[in-house]
């Protein structure tokens, strides 16, 4: 019986994939929605570039080291909808997923993160939807970053659309740590014992990176004085 259930489930997933895949490739609404996310990302990226420019003019240093943007792949969207038992449809994507458009702002110092986040949230065309401060409250594994979900208007030929964008702000040290942790997490054929050992080491590293961030920030403050 479990085999039969598994078989039926697999067949349903195949049908869903075919429908979702087809509708992604051929049907306009999904492509249209994805292009709205791209536009929203451009808007948010520009906002950060403007803030960086102004800050560097005022303080003679850049609060942004680098910016990364990404649009979630259709495969990842499908996976996420399925994990959450949500309908595979364009409406469902727009209504339920807030991280289709993602921008990561990498800063030299922790202070820069909060200054930039406050400046963004304070802009009158931005609506803050969600804020998760994993710097003040790191995850159990040591993960640190400031996450924001914001909504921004994009102006099209005949309409104005509001689009959600996930903003992740972190320091260079946090980015270094998160990239390595991500690599281990998504490595499929890693030995379980080794994975556990590495997870413990990474938690130690998270503590070290936190100390490093604080020390570097302190040095920077003294330079400024
Ligand atoms: P990807 O490929 O980076 O987009 P949600 O995403 O809202 O469904 P959650 O966990 O409530 O789920 O959101 P949260 O906590 O805001 O985390 C979302 C994103 O933050 C993740 O996206 C990662 O990019 C990053 N992140 C969160 N926790 C960790 C962590 O422990 N380690 C690392 N390396 N990154 C983390 P995705 O969708 O997982 O992946």
């Amino acid at each position: 019986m479990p085999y039969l259930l598994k078989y039926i489930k697999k067949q349903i997933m195949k049908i869903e994939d075919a429908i979702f895949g087809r509708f992604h490739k051929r049907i306009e609404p999904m492509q249209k929605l994805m292009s709205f996310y791209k536009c929203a990302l451009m808007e948010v990226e520009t906002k950060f570039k403007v803030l960086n420019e102004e800050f560097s003019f005022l303080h003679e240093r850049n609060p942004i080291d680098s910016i990364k943007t990404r649009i979630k792949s259709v495969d990842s969207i499908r996976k996420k909808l399925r994990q959450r038992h949500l309908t595979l449809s364009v409406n469902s994507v727009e209504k339920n997923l807030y991280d289709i458009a993602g921008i990561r702002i990498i800063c030299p110092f922790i202070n820069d993160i909060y200054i930039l986040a406050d400046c963004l949230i304070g802009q009158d065309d931005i609506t803050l939807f969600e804020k998760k401060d994993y710097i003040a409250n790191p995850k159990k594994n040591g993960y640190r970053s400031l996450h924001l979900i914001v909504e921004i208007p994009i102006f099209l030929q005949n309409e104005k659309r509001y689009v959600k964008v996930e903003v992740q702000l972190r320091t260079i040290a946090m980015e270094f740590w998160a990239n390595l942790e991500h690599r281990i997490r998504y490595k499929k054929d890693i030995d379980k014992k080794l994975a556990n050992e590495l997870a413990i080491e990474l938690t130690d590293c998270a503590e070290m990176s936190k100390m490093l961030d604080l020390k570097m920030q302190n040095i920077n403050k003294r330079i400024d004085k």
Side-chain angles (χ1 to χ4, degrees), residues 55-204:
F55 191 103
S56 70
F57 170 72
L58 293 174
H59 305 284
E60 290 172 355
R61 73 170 188 87
N62 291 318
I64 298 179
D65 179 74
S66 57
I67 298 180
K68 294 177 183 172
T69 59
R70 71 108 181 86
I71 297 284
K72 218 174 183 70
S73 73
V74 175
D75 265 354
S76 307
I77 294 174
R78 184 169 30 202
K79 214 168 137 193
K80 202 158 192 174
L81 288 174
R82 190 172 282 143
Q83 273 169 0
R84 294 188 180 177
H85 307 288
L86 295 165
T87 330
L88 298 185
S89 70
V90 177
N91 276 351
S92 172
V93 172
E94 198 174 7
K95 197 171 136 217
N96 300 301
L97 302 188
Y98 300 162
D99 64 341
I100 305 296
I103 180 162
R104 187 173 293 155
I105 309 297
I106 299 153
C107 306
F109 306 108
I110 299 172
N111 273 354
D112 299 330
I113 291 175
Y114 291 105
I115 292 169
L116 290 168
D118 285 347
C119 288
L120 181 77
I121 295 165
Q123 297 185 5
D124 61 13
D125 55 348
I126 289 277
T127 307
L128 178 67
F129 242 76
E130 191 181 284
K131 184 175 182 177
K132 288 186 196 165
D133 191 346
Y134 295 123
I135 300 174
N137 307 295
K139 283 196 169 180
K140 222 174 147 196
N141 60 2
Y143 177 78
R144 293 183 305 136
S145 277
L146 180 66
H147 292 189
L148 311 173
I149 305 288
V150 296
E151 196 172 61
I152 183 168
I154 55 166
F155 295 86
L156 303 156
Q157 279 187 46
N158 298 312
E159 61 172 326
K160 177 177 164 187
R161 295 275 302 219
Y162 287 90
V163 183
K164 290 196 181 64
V165 174
E166 182 191 62
V167 184
Q168 295 184 350
L169 296 113
R170 53 174 74 150
T171 61
I172 299 166
M174 292 172 198
E175 168 77 348
F176 187 30
W177 184 95
N179 283 343
L180 191 57
E181 196 268 351
H182 188 272
R183 231 188 114 205
I184 294 165
R185 192 198 298 220
Y186 287 92
K187 201 153 174 71
K188 282 181 192 137
D189 46 9
I190 194 163
D191 174 66
K192 234 184 172 178
K193 191 170 160 261
L194 177 64
N196 286 340
E197 280 169 23
L198 296 179
I200 294 168
E201 279 197 43
L202 268 173
T203 311
D204 281 352

